[in-house]
Amino acid sequence: MAPLDTVAPVAHSAEMVGDKLEQLAGMDAFVPGDILEVVGGASSGGIIVRTGKDKTSSVEIERLSKGSFVKALEVDTGRLSYELLSGSGPAGGWVSFTASGRALLVKAGTGLPAADVKIAQEALHCYSRRLAEAREAGKGDFILNRNPFSMVSEKETDTSSNGDSLLADLEVEAAVEDSNARKSVSAGASAIIVKDSDGEAVMLCHQCHLPLGDFGYGKHEKSKCLFHAECMAHVMLHERQLNEDARKSKEAELKKSRREEYDIGWKVATIPSNIDAATKLGCGVIPQGLCCLVLQGEDSVRIAPTFEPAGALNLEYLSIALQVRRVEGREPLFSLDPIQALQDTFAPEASMQAKRFVPEWIAGTSVGEVMFQADYHL
């Protein structure tokens, strides 16, 4: 993590900005005697009521619910004392006009004045833009008195003052950042340094082209390309994914070459045909090569054509298996045995396996081959 030789912008707390918003939206909005309707606090059970004019005064246990009507008794810069006329909540106390740029009280039957709406929108727009700049710069507070940089991204966005335009701007910036995060970064690229509206040199993130803030992250100590923490994580994740894809591709190629070298993999073409064997045994037409055994009397069978795959058999497999039973007096057997188990000393090829056929003469036959493929697959 390398610190940048840049001057940190002036930062103000969220509380200071919030107070300013309330003063802008609520100043001279109401006068004593006005009948007001509570329009805020719907999601929190009502708006906060304090016993005194100061915001540090104690808070009433009960809140002033939305839809209540009150009478303004005293007004003082963003706050007023009231008398409850209808609804639920404390009978009196001090409340704020607005919170976070949204009106909590409006004159009964009139709605929020157009002038106050415009003031609140402008204040909220300023507040939101500073919040976005602070987050992009890697800081947790709000940055004021700082104009946008001339080189933020390849696409410039419209900066209108209404809330819809602001949301569209932020969505476009997020989409550009997400697109850039998917591209690989050249290790030999140089740092990106631009000048802001005050003429100060500012280093930009090599991934999203936004100001780095006080700290940046590089791939190594001498790296000239620095990134935000989130952008660095995207770059590292992308590189890891490329390495993982390359490793899987290499393993797949090795597996394919080994399967070709040792003839691993069952193929339909290796299945012996029943037609030639059935012809020699005097069987009639074999539909689609399917045949079965039919019991005749108590001690004999004959070959017959069939349409049922579940009852079909392969004549060559059957003849070899019967030959093993008649000559060896047992069923054919196959297994893959580790080479190390057959040797007394360790050998580099100990990870390999040897084919074992019982009896040995079935090696190279169709039965031996199908037993090997089945054992390897299982």
Side-chain angles (χ1 to χ4, degrees):
M1 184 168 62
L4 304 178
D5 297 331
T6 58
V7 179
V10 178
H12 297 275
S13 68
E15 183 179 357
M16 293 174 61
V17 177
D19 291 343
K20 186 62 177 177
L21 286 171
E22 293 183 1
Q23 293 176 12
L24 287 174
M27 188 177 298
D28 299 329
F30 307 123
V31 295
D34 284 344
I35 305 301
L36 309 176
E37 180 183 358
V38 180
V39 296
S43 60
S44 58
I47 63 176
I48 297 175
V49 180
R50 296 184 181 274
T51 57
K53 177 169 57 178
D54 194 354
K55 288 186 178 182
T56 59
S57 60
S58 59
V59 179
E60 295 283 0
I61 298 178
E62 188 179 6
R63 294 195 174 198
L64 187 58
S65 64
K66 181 181 178 182
S68 298
F69 287 87
V70 298
K71 179 180 180 181
L73 301 179
E74 182 180 351
V75 180
D76 185 3
T77 312
R79 294 178 63 78
L80 62 81
S81 65
Y82 72 90
E83 176 187 352
L84 181 63
L85 300 179
S86 65
S88 62
W94 286 83
V95 295
S96 297
F97 295 174
T98 61
S100 302
R102 291 177 295 182
L104 301 179
L105 300 168
V106 296
K107 291 183 179 180
T110 61
L112 189 64
D116 292 339
V117 172
K118 183 177 180 180
I119 293 175
Q121 287 181 346
E122 292 177 352
L124 180 60
H125 174 72
C126 176
Y127 180 85
S128 300
R129 287 200 62 83
R130 299 315 178 195
L131 173 61
E133 290 179 6
R135 287 177 176 173
E136 294 294 346
K139 293 184 173 295
D141 220 330
F142 301 92
I143 303 175
L144 298 178
N145 301 324
R146 191 176 184 85
N147 293 327
F149 294 98
S150 58
M151 186 176 178
V152 175
S153 63
E154 296 179 357
K155 297 181 179 180
E156 296 183 0
T157 58
D158 182 24
T159 56
S160 58
S161 61
N162 57 67
D164 292 338
S165 297
L166 173 61
L167 180 60
D169 293 345
L170 295 178
E171 290 177 349
V172 170
E173 292 178 5
V176 171
E177 179 179 359
D178 182 70
S179 176
N180 290 335
R182 301 176 187 273
K183 301 177 183 177
S184 59
V185 180
S186 174
S190 59
I192 303 176
I193 300 177
V194 298
K195 290 185 178 180
D196 63 6
S197 58
D198 297 328
E200 298 177 354
V202 177
M203 184 176 289
L204 304 183
C205 172
H206 199 80
Q207 186 72 3
C208 65
H209 290 187
L210 294 175
L212 279 171
D214 292 335
F215 298 97
Y217 295 81
K219 294 184 178 180
H220 48 78
E221 293 182 358
K222 297 183 179 180
S223 177
K224 295 181 180 180
C225 300
L226 300 181
F227 306 82
H228 293 123
E230 296 83 357
C231 294
M232 190 69 209
H234 280 297
V235 172
M236 294 180 65
L237 182 62
H238 182 68
E239 292 181 349
R240 291 289 180 87
Q241 187 63 46
L242 291 178
N243 294 337
E244 181 68 12
D245 293 343
R247 182 188 66 81
K248 290 182 178 180
S249 177
K250 185 177 180 180
E251 289 183 353
E253 290 294 332
L254 178 60
K255 183 177 181 179
K256 181 179 179 181
S257 65
R258 289 292 178 86
R259 292 175 70 89
E260 293 176 353
E261 179 181 358
Y262 296 100
D263 196 20
I264 298 174
W266 184 82
K267 304 178 182 64
V268 177
T270 61
I271 302 176
S273 173
N274 279 336
I275 296 178
D276 294 339
T279 302
K280 293 179 181 179
L281 294 174
C283 183
V285 178
I286 306 295
Q288 299 180 358
L290 298 179
C291 62
C292 64
L293 295 181
V294 179
L295 180 64
Q296 288 183 328
E298 297 181 355
D299 58 355
S300 65
V301 294
R302 68 178 178 86
I303 300 173
T306 182
F307 290 96
E308 295 294 335
L313 54 81
N314 187 278
L315 295 178
E316 183 171 327
Y317 291 163
L318 176 63
S319 62
I320 295 176
L322 291 176
Q323 185 177 1
V324 172
R325 169 63 69 176
R326 183 173 61 84
V327 175
E328 304 293 338
R330 58 167 300 163
E331 70 279 357
L333 180 145
F334 172 83
S335 67
L336 283 173
D337 298 335
I339 294 178
Q340 181 64 24
L342 306 177
Q343 300 178 350
D344 296 332
T345 58
F346 176 78
E349 64 274 9
S351 60
M352 302 294 287
Q353 294 176 315
K355 298 178 181 179
R356 185 168 71 92
F357 296 92
V358 179
E360 294 183 355
W361 59 266
I362 66 172
T365 65
S366 58
V367 171
E369 179 63 19
V370 75
M371 292 178 69
F372 160 65
Q373 299 294 348
D375 187 272
Y376 183 85
H377 179 74
L378 294 175

